[in-house]
Amino acid sequence: MENIKAYVQQHKDRFINELIELLKIPSVSADTAYSQDVIDTAEAVKVSLEKAGCDLVEVCDTPGYPIIYGEKIIDPNLPTVLVYGHYDVQPPDPMELWTSPPFEPVIKTTEIHPEGAIFARGACDDKGQMYMHVKALEYMVQSNTLPCNVKFMIEGEEEVGSKSLGWFVERNQEKLKNDVILISDTGMISNQQPSITTGLRGLSYVEVEVTGPNRDLHSGLYGGAVANPINILAKMIASLHDEDNRITIPGFYDKVQDLSLEERAEMAKAPFSLEKYKNALNLNDVYGEKGYVTNERNSIRPTLDVNGIWGGYQGEGAKTVIASKAFAKISMRLVPNQDWEEITALFTKHFINIAPAGVTVKVTPHHGGQGYVTPIDSIGYKAANLAYTETFGVPAIPVRSGGSIPIVALFEKELKSKTILMGFGLDSDAIHSPNEHFGIFNYLKGIETIPLFYKYFVELSK
C-alpha cells in the first residue's frame, strides 16, 4: 500500500494535468455539433490506455460513436477484470450558471474539498472516475504488480442511452469474457465513509392519454353532462396508491423480494439525518410507503410517480372549457426481479380497466430497464470492501441506489458476470448540473484503491 501511495504522490501533478487535458475536449454526445470532439476524445482514451500499458488497444466502430477496447493479458489461466466507463459527457447548459467555463477546467477549493476540486463538465461523470482506472493500470504495470488480466471497454454514448453498447456486447462476447466487471460511475457516502452501490432500480416509463368528447367543450353548456378527461385522469392517478402508499396495480409486487434483515441493518449504518434531509428540501415531513424508512423507500422499494400532467387551457386568464384530452407521463422505479416489460403490461391493463365509461384510454410505453443487485457475500463485493477498508481505514457500507443503470443488467444477461460499482464521487459533485466537479482527494484516492481490488479479488478467487 505504501508503494502505491508513494507512486501517486510522485506523479500527482501529472495525473491531474492529464485529466485536465481530457476534460478540455467537449465530448457532448447529445449534440451533433460536438461529433468531432467526441471522436477526438475516443482517440485520446486510446492513447492513454496504450501509454498505461495495454498490449492491445482498438477503436471499435459501432452504429454510433466508437467503443475503445483495451487489454493486458498476463496469463489466460488467471482471473480477468473488465473495466467499463464512458468518455462522453452531458451538455453543459445552462451556460450562464457556470462560475467558470465548463470546458476550461479549473481547480477550486470548497468546504467539502479543502484540498481542491477540478471544476469542468465530465470531471466526475465519468472522465475523472474512468481515468482513475487508466492510472491504476499504469501503476500496476510500472510496479509489476498486476495480479490478473484486465480488459477495458470505454464507450461514447452513455449520456444518450448507450445506444450502441448492446449491439457491441452481443457481437463481442468472447472478446469481453471476464470474471467480474468493475465500474466507477457512482458515488460514495463521504470522504470519510466509503460505500459500495450494491443495487440499482429498474425503470418503466409510460405516457397515458385519456380522451373524452371529440372536441373541447363549453364548460357551462356541457359541464356535469359529459366526462371531463382531466378530472377522470386525476382520479385514475390518485387510485394508483392506497392509504399506505402502496401501489394498487394487481401483480405489481408479486416478484418483489424483501431484503434480508442483515442487509437492511448494514444499510442502516449509513450516516443519515432526517432533519437535514427535510431542511435541504424545505419539507415539513417525509412521505412514502408505510413500514419503511426514507433510505429504504428511495432505494429498495418500487415506486410510481407522475413526472408530468397536462390538458386543457393553460394560457393567461380564463377559458371555460372541458378539454377533449388529458395526458400524463408516469415512471415506475422497479427493484431487482421486477421485469420492466411485465410491469409495463400490468400497468397498461390496469389503467385501461379502471377507466370509467365516457372516456377512452391509450398507454404508450417509452423506455425501461431492469434492476440489478450484487450480493454482499460475493467475491467481488468482498474484494472491493477490503480495498476501501485498507485505503480509508473503515469498512465500506453497502447502499442501494434509487437510480437506474440499465447497462449493468445488460452485462449480466449477455456476459454472465457480476458488476462491482466502486464509485468515488460525492452527491455534492453536481453531475449533470452547472459547476460539476471532482475532488482531487477522491481522484487520487481512487487510483490508490483500485489496485487493491485486483489484489484481493485474485486472492479470494483462489
Side-chain angles (χ1 to χ4, degrees):
M1 182 57 204
E2 293 306 315
N3 290 337
I4 177 63
K5 279 187 174 181
Y7 189 86
V8 170
Q9 285 305 309
Q10 180 184 354
H11 298 279
K12 172 182 174 180
D13 292 341
R14 175 171 63 84
F15 289 172
I16 293 171
N17 290 333
E18 287 179 8
L19 176 56
I20 285 174
E21 290 304 309
L22 191 65
L23 292 169
K24 288 180 180 179
I25 314 175
S27 51
V28 181
S29 54
D31 189 340
T32 55
Y34 295 93
S35 293
Q36 187 58 52
D37 296 299
V38 179
I39 293 170
D40 290 346
T41 308
E43 180 63 28
V45 172
K46 172 182 180 288
V47 172
S48 70
L49 285 172
E50 290 172 337
K51 289 182 177 178
C54 283
D55 295 326
L56 170 68
V57 184
E58 300 173 330
V59 178
C60 302
D61 291 332
T62 76
Y65 287 118
I67 288 174
I68 307 304
Y69 173 81
E71 65 178 31
K72 178 78 172 178
I73 307 299
I74 61 174
D75 185 343
N77 296 317
L78 288 172
T80 297
V81 176
L82 172 63
V83 176
Y84 164 85
H86 64 93
Y87 60 83
D88 64 321
V89 302
Q90 281 275 318
D93 309 75
M95 296 288 288
E96 67 274 11
L97 296 183
W98 285 81
T99 56
S100 55
F103 298 108
E104 296 178 20
V106 294
I107 298 174
K108 308 175 190 178
T109 59
T110 70
E111 183 178 350
I112 295 175
H113 298 293
E115 75 298 321
I118 304 174
F119 280 69
R121 171 57 85 231
C124 179
D125 180 22
D126 180 47
K127 286 180 177 175
Q129 297 212 69
M130 175 271 291
Y131 207 67
M132 297 183 309
H133 290 270
V134 179
K135 297 295 97 178
L137 173 67
E138 175 191 308
Y139 163 74
M140 290 185 286
V141 171
Q142 291 296 322
S143 60
N144 198 30
T145 57
L146 180 64
C148 62
N149 308 308
V150 59
K151 299 176 179 178
F152 287 83
M153 177 173 60
I154 313 297
E155 68 154 321
E157 296 181 332
E158 196 273 346
E159 299 294 4
V160 289
S162 298
K163 296 178 181 179
S164 302
L165 188 64
W167 178 93
F168 181 79
V169 171
E170 290 169 9
R171 288 162 176 76
N172 292 277
Q173 293 190 8
E174 187 61 32
K175 179 195 289 280
L176 300 172
K177 191 175 180 180
N178 65 84
D179 295 281
V180 68
I181 299 170
L182 189 59
I183 300 177
S184 294
D185 196 12
T186 52
M188 59 183 184
I189 293 171
S190 71
N191 284 352
Q192 296 73 42
Q193 179 57 68
S195 55
I196 301 171
T197 301
T198 59
L200 300 163
R201 291 196 287 193
L203 175 68
S204 168
Y205 196 101
V206 300
E207 183 172 324
V208 299
E209 175 184 323
V210 176
T211 303
N214 61 3
R215 65 185 188 278
D216 288 359
L217 303 177
H218 189 291
S219 66
L221 298 178
Y222 292 93
V226 299
N228 183 322
I230 300 175
N231 294 359
I232 297 298
L233 176 59
K235 288 182 179 180
M236 293 171 68
I237 288 173
S239 76
L240 294 175
H241 291 89
D242 65 16
E243 62 276 9
D244 292 328
N245 289 314
R246 282 178 62 86
I247 296 160
T248 57
I249 299 170
F252 187 87
Y253 290 96
D254 284 359
K255 295 183 179 179
V256 173
Q257 287 188 346
D258 287 325
L259 255 63
S260 67
L261 293 177
E262 176 192 10
E263 188 157 1
R264 288 181 73 177
E266 285 295 312
M267 286 180 58
K269 293 178 181 178
F272 178 74
S273 167
L274 185 59
E275 285 307 308
K276 289 182 179 179
Y277 183 86
K278 291 190 294 185
N279 289 340
L281 300 173
N282 198 24
L283 298 173
N284 59 21
D285 205 356
V286 291
Y287 186 85
E289 184 181 359
K290 186 177 180 180
Y292 297 90
V293 299
T294 298
N295 280 348
E296 294 175 331
R297 290 169 177 165
N298 65 16
S299 61
I300 64 171
R301 299 300 295 169
T303 64
L304 184 152
D305 287 292
V306 178
N307 303 129
I309 185 168
W310 68 98
Y313 180 67
Q314 298 176 48
E316 185 176 349
K319 184 180 182 183
T320 52
V321 295
I322 295 173
S324 172
K325 293 178 180 290
F327 304 84
K329 293 181 186 290
I330 296 173
S331 66
M332 291 162 280
R333 296 287 175 170
L334 311 176
V335 294
N337 293 337
Q338 284 185 297
D339 181 86
W340 76 270
E341 292 178 322
E342 182 179 339
I343 293 297
T344 301
L346 290 174
F347 174 91
T348 301
K349 179 181 178 181
H350 178 67
F351 207 70
I352 291 173
N353 286 344
I354 63 175
V359 299
T360 56
V361 172
K362 178 183 177 183
V363 178
T364 303
H366 278 299
H367 63 274
Q370 306 299 88
Y372 180 79
V373 64
T374 294
I376 61 175
D377 61 354
S378 69
I379 290 175
Y381 178 88
K382 290 178 179 178
N385 188 31
L386 287 169
Y388 277 118
T389 302
E390 186 164 336
T391 53
F392 283 84
V394 294
I397 292 174
V399 297
R400 293 285 191 101
S401 172
S404 305
I405 308 179
I407 58 167
V408 176
L410 167 72
F411 291 158
E412 180 157 358
K413 176 185 175 184
E414 297 293 339
L415 302 177
K416 307 297 187 287
S417 50
K418 287 289 186 184
T419 294
I420 303 301
L421 298 163
M422 288 186 70
F424 291 85
L426 300 178
D427 285 344
S428 58
D429 287 345
I431 64 171
H432 292 209
S433 300
N435 303 310
E436 177 182 352
H437 55 280
F438 191 36
I440 290 174
F441 168 89
N442 306 71
Y443 175 51
L444 300 179
K445 186 64 76 171
I447 299 171
E448 287 181 21
T449 306
I450 290 166
L452 293 170
F453 171 83
Y454 287 76
K455 170 190 171 185
Y456 288 120
F457 185 77
V458 172
E459 289 179 2
L460 294 172
S461 297
K462 293 178 179 177

